[in-house]
Amino acid sequence: MADANGTLIKMEGVKKVFYTDEVETHALEEIHLEIKKGQYISIAGPSGCGKSTLLSILGLLDSPSGGSYWLNGQPVAELSTSERTRIRNREIGFIFQAFNLIGDLTVYENVELPLTYRGSGAAERKQKVQNALERVGMAHRLRHYPSQLSGGQQQRVAVARALVGDPLILMADEPTGNLDSKNGEAVMELLRDLHRNGATICMVTHDQRYANFADRSIHLFDGRITEETQEAHASA
Amino acid sequence: MGILWLDLRHALRQLRHRPGFTAITVLTLALGIGATTAIFSVVYGVLLRPLSYPKPEQIVRLWEVDPAGHRMNFAEPNFVDLRAASNSFAAITETGGDEVTVTGGAAPTRVNAAVVSQDFFKVLGVSPVAGRGFSPEDQRQGAAPVLLVSHAYWQQYLGGAPDLSRFKLVADNHVFSVIGVMPQNFSFPDNTALWVPRDFFPPDTSRTAHNWVVFGRLTDRASLPQARAELDAIAHRLKQQYGQDTDMSAASIIRLQDAMTAQVRPALFLLLGAVGFLLLVACANVANLLLAQSAARQRELAIRAALGADRHTLVRQFLVESFVLCGISGALGVIAARWGVDLLVALAPKDLPRLDSVSTNLPVLFFVLCLTILLSVALGIFTAVRATSGDVREALAEGGRQQISGPRSQRFGRTIVVAQLATTMILLVGAGLLGRSLLRVLSVDPGFRTEHIVTMDLAFPALDHALPELPSDAEKAARVHEIDELFARLRGVPGVESVAGGDTLPLVDNSVSNGGFLILRPGQQPQSIEDFEKLGHNPSITGYADYCVASDDYFRVLGIPLLRGRFFDGRDTLDAPHAALINEALARKRWPNEDPLGKTIEFGNMDGDLRLLTIVGVVGDARNRSLETRPDPTIYVDYRQRPMRTTSFIVVVRTAQPPASVIAAAREILRDIDPNLPPHFQTFAQVFASSLASRRFNLMLVGAFAAAALLLAAAGIYGVMAYSVARRTRELGVRIALGATAGDVLRLVLGQGLGTTAIGVAIGVAGSLALTGMIRSLLFGVSAFDPLTLAAVTLLLAAVSLFACWIPARRATRVDPLEALRYE
Ligand SMILES: Nc1ncnc2c1ncn2[C@@H]1O[C@H](COP(=O)(O)OP(=O)(O)OP(=O)(O)O)[C@@H](O)[C@H]1O
Ligand SMILES: [Mg+2]
């Protein structure tokens, strides 16, 4: 059903409840969402409204408490842990607010990581890593350690790491949150370029300027989608 | 002073606020300090503590050295010549002695009696506390027999009575007057209870009868090397003068204390080294705990630094804390050491010399104090430097950085664990080698059996007391009759299968005598010992063998097989041609291509009976001296024909019954036959076990230290890995988010643990190869570089360390990938 009309992600009535010390937090309520291949969608809303929670469920880092979620036509609820791990590795690319590069690994090794976990051959890895780093303009820093890079450069490397495995979709949680505006804009430019070249992107941000980079903006409030806007320059 | 007091209060509060950390640290250190102190107490008491005689460093022991370099006891004429010629000694003395049965005290008993020449007490610097010492009048042949008694004998058998003149003690058929009591705890040499003047007995004339142990006291001016040079010169001169008639061509001289402890020195140093390693392993754990603690206290340190504490102040704070920790541990360690010493003394093999001087005395406490201070300073400086170095500032800044700290930041903790594993490896290899040695010893075929045998050790009065005059046939017949009667009645005890006896029992200390024999044809029998010695100059007819007196069933009871000919039997009476059995080793050595049966040998130097012995049988080899030495050539004679050497006689009873009932019956029978003959009972299995006692003791201790080190090292690597996993939660979350499977994570963490282990093992193997050579003298049947031990220990250490890493690795696989999204 999904591929026919290009639907990559479909959520119906997804809920998420956290139980902590007898307090129930309804982080998400009745989320209905469809994301098509090639879309660039931004998720915005006030702090604590459930943006990260939604992204973590979309990215298979967490499971919903209720409702249904199909990824690429496959019902996610039925997946085993190892299948979820496999899908995270092959079909989803993550970009984090805190970059999350591993300090003991070089730029090259950080980017290589998803391919390593996939079990790709060395030659293939080398080629793909090189490619991904070229796409983010960091190919000249292969042997550097993250601590030797600026924040913007680190996030570019993180984007390369998300890209390297040719995922179906990139998930970014406030990718500019730790960057100054100049570096932030550079990263957003990078994402827009990727999008132009066909990448599907799902990005959390509360910066309205950056939300405008996307085709579609979703607004969350108290765990519900309150508003959805389509940008004029909707994708092809 | 005020600041120190503040620091101290702060340190105590710190420790109180972290009771878990404090308890583990203190217990670990106390274990290390306690074990080290206990072993040091033994090493100090046995090896280092000065002998309790005046100027003990002047007291020396001397040996003859033959041209082949073998050390031997002195022959009396050589001693006499040496005494006359030497200027290095303020006093020099010879002693001999044996276990004797003494009657005349409260009960018959067996004690060691020392026969001592004139200057014995001058050498030691000891004199009687009651009565008088030997006068010149006492010290001549034919004098009225007198003796001195030990304080213990006086108390136990003479009731501590001040009037000594009442007592007459009978030993070896002489009636002695008691003239004095030696000081409490004086029992030199070898637990002696009675001292008798040498000159009471006729002098020895042979320069090859090595019967005398010689001690001397150097003059204030003489040094040991000087004395050695002088003695060598004298020995050399005597050799030139007497040629073949003397064995001595040089002399050996060693401080008495060193001579007494030479045997046990390697084992004690091994134990000290082993426990030192255990202490190092314990300290490594503590260092890692402290390191983790100081990491957790980075904020506190940062605040203190911000408030103006300079590095000195911080270092001092750490030192004070370390002193408090080590101080408490040291105090607990002393308590642990006191128990440890009691335990060690109880478990120690009986042949460990000077065991009575082992205690937690002042020098030992001083040792603990030094050790504690050393540890305090080392650990304090170590943590202070680590905690206040740039490293930590970097770590402090780490939180603000955007990349995740990885395992490299724990390089230091891991280095400690590597050292710990290497040390543990060395200990394990040591224990493994000792264990394999014990197994090898146990798997040796001793040539006899040990089960179901009760031994009864007797000390008859000497028959050769009047040498060179031989005992009369009537005296000999009486002894044979007494033994025969004992045998007959023991055979009647229910459950007894067979009874035999001999002057030698395998594995019993010092029970084997040996000497040179001659292979002669009938008719060549020498008429005197002088003739014997002349014939002995012809090497083609001489041999060297152990000489054992045995009864006919001796071989059946001990399971020593008959290979050719016959055992002793009813034919071998006092008047019949004297029969001998030889062991296979002698047959192979002396008659490799001939039938030894019917050959005649002359071994009269052993007991004065110059009648030839006819070989009537060949028996299997038995490891008489120890399981670890090859059987020596041995000649057995029949007690009915050669009863002279039955002074020490061991009856062996084969029975399937519980030993206790047989012992009770035998005690009864003996009391009936000869109430003045106190027996010692043991099962042969006990004899066998105690011959392995020191080996077991060393193995047990080194094994215990190695096991403790293994536990500590496992805890160490567990701690480091768990800490690392805890600190890497975020990194692991990212990896899992990026698609790392549980297997990937497990491999990552275990790989790191195993990497650490591999380095530790590699260094440990190198260390073992370097160090095990030092314990070669304690090994048996296994090379110091035994590959099997190394392989087994490597596997064990790898398995334990893998398991220790597996627990945190499992935890790592359960890290939530959501950690990756967390941002603080
Ligand atoms: N693991 C958790 N356990 C309990 N409650 C949680 C957990 N994670 C999130 N929540 C709660 O769920 C709600 C949504 O959190 P979420 O992190 O999705 O917010 P957010 O929109 O990403 O906020 P921000 O803009 O500050 O990042 C919050 O009320 C939060 O406290
Ligand atoms: Mg968020």
Side-chain angles (χ1 to χ4, degrees), chain A residues 44-73:
Chain A
S47 185
C49 69
K51 304 181 295 291
S52 294
T53 305
L54 179 57
L55 196 81
S56 68
I57 291 173
L58 284 170
L60 299 193
L61 296 175
D62 208 350
S63 341
S65 319
S68 316
Y69 171 22
W70 290 268
L71 176 64
N72 210 9

Side-chain angles (χ1 to χ4, degrees), chain A residues 16-20 23 25-28 45-56 62 97 173-174 204 206 220, chain B residues 816 818 821-822:
Chain A
K16 181 70 185 180
V17 188
F18 291 110
Y19 301 92
T20 37
V23 181
T25 311
H26 291 258
L28 294 175
S47 185
C49 69
K51 304 181 295 291
S52 294
T53 305
L54 179 57
L55 196 81
S56 68
D62 208 350
Q97 177 180 358
D173 192 353
E174 308 210 20
V204 167
H206 32 222
L220 282 184
Chain B
D816 193 335
L818 280 174
L821 287 181
R822 213 147 274 160

Side-chain angles (χ1 to χ4, degrees), chain B residues 721-781:
Chain B
M721 293 311 292
Y723 183 60
S724 150
V725 165
R727 284 184 56 140
R728 292 169 70 190
T729 311
R730 170 94 155 259
E731 179 207 334
L732 294 165
V734 170
R735 285 176 183 267
I736 293 169
L738 292 179
T741 60
D744 289 325
V745 173
L746 211 59
R747 259 196 303 282
L748 179 74
V749 178
L750 283 185
Q752 238 155 46
L754 278 189
T756 308
T757 308
I759 302 173
V761 166
I763 298 176
V765 168
S768 308
L769 292 180
L771 290 178
T772 48
M774 291 165 58
I775 60 166
R776 195 172 286 134
S777 69
L778 299 170
L779 303 182
F780 176 80

Side-chain angles (χ1 to χ4, degrees), chain B residues 329-565:
Chain B
S329 310
L332 286 179
V334 170
I335 297 173
R338 295 196 70 127
W339 290 333
V341 165
D342 290 348
L343 191 70
L344 285 175
V345 169
L347 292 176
K350 298 293 162 277
D351 53 1
L352 192 63
R354 306 191 69 202
L355 210 50
D356 52 340
S357 82
V358 172
S359 66
T360 40
N361 42 29
L362 265 183
V364 169
L365 291 178
F366 182 69
F367 169 82
V368 183
L369 187 69
C370 293
L371 187 66
T372 305
I373 292 174
L374 187 77
L375 289 177
S376 308
V377 171
L379 288 172
I381 294 209
F382 165 79
T383 29
V385 166
R386 290 299 302 171
T388 58
S389 68
D391 223 78
V392 164
R393 261 166 237 146
E394 204 172 280
L396 268 173
E398 221 167 57
R401 290 264 176 102
Q402 302 314 318
Q403 73 280 350
I404 311 159
S405 75
R408 266 199 308 179
S409 44
Q410 265 122 35
R411 204 179 315 149
F412 207 76
R414 201 153 290 156
T415 309
I416 294 177
V417 169
V418 163
Q420 207 174 18
L421 288 169
T423 312
T424 303
M425 171 98 188
I426 296 173
L427 270 179
L428 285 171
V429 168
L433 290 174
L434 292 181
R436 290 252 296 152
S437 299
L438 180 61
L439 287 181
R440 281 297 174 89
V441 173
L442 285 173
S443 68
V444 157
D445 173 16
F448 50 83
R449 68 175 159 224
T450 56
E451 330 76 65
H452 305 304
I453 296 172
V454 173
T455 74
M456 176 166 82
D457 188 347
L458 303 171
F460 287 107
L463 279 181
D464 54 2
H465 54 90
L467 280 177
E469 208 171 299
L470 292 179
S472 69
D473 280 359
E475 276 179 293
K476 290 196 236 175
R479 171 63 50 81
V480 171
H481 178 75
E482 188 170 356
I483 293 175
D484 280 344
E485 191 190 348
L486 181 61
F487 282 177
R489 294 196 44 189
L490 286 172
R491 283 193 189 99
V493 172
V496 166
E497 287 163 19
S498 43
V499 178
D503 72 330
T504 307
L505 190 62
L507 307 182
V508 173
D509 277 349
N510 303 327
S511 77
V512 191
S513 23
N514 54 11
F517 64 90
L518 306 172
I519 303 168
L520 297 176
R521 279 191 304 282
Q524 289 183 312
Q525 177 186 327
Q527 295 312 305
S528 67
I529 285 292
E530 287 70 33
D531 285 354
F532 180 103
E533 286 187 349
K534 275 196 205 93
L535 287 166
H537 294 169
N538 175 1
S540 70
I541 58 161
T542 58
Y544 206 81
D546 289 347
Y547 180 82
C548 302
V549 180
S551 77
D552 40 6
D553 274 345
Y554 179 85
F555 306 94
R556 287 188 198 95
V557 170
L558 295 181
I560 299 173
L562 180 68
L563 304 178
R564 328 193 44 174

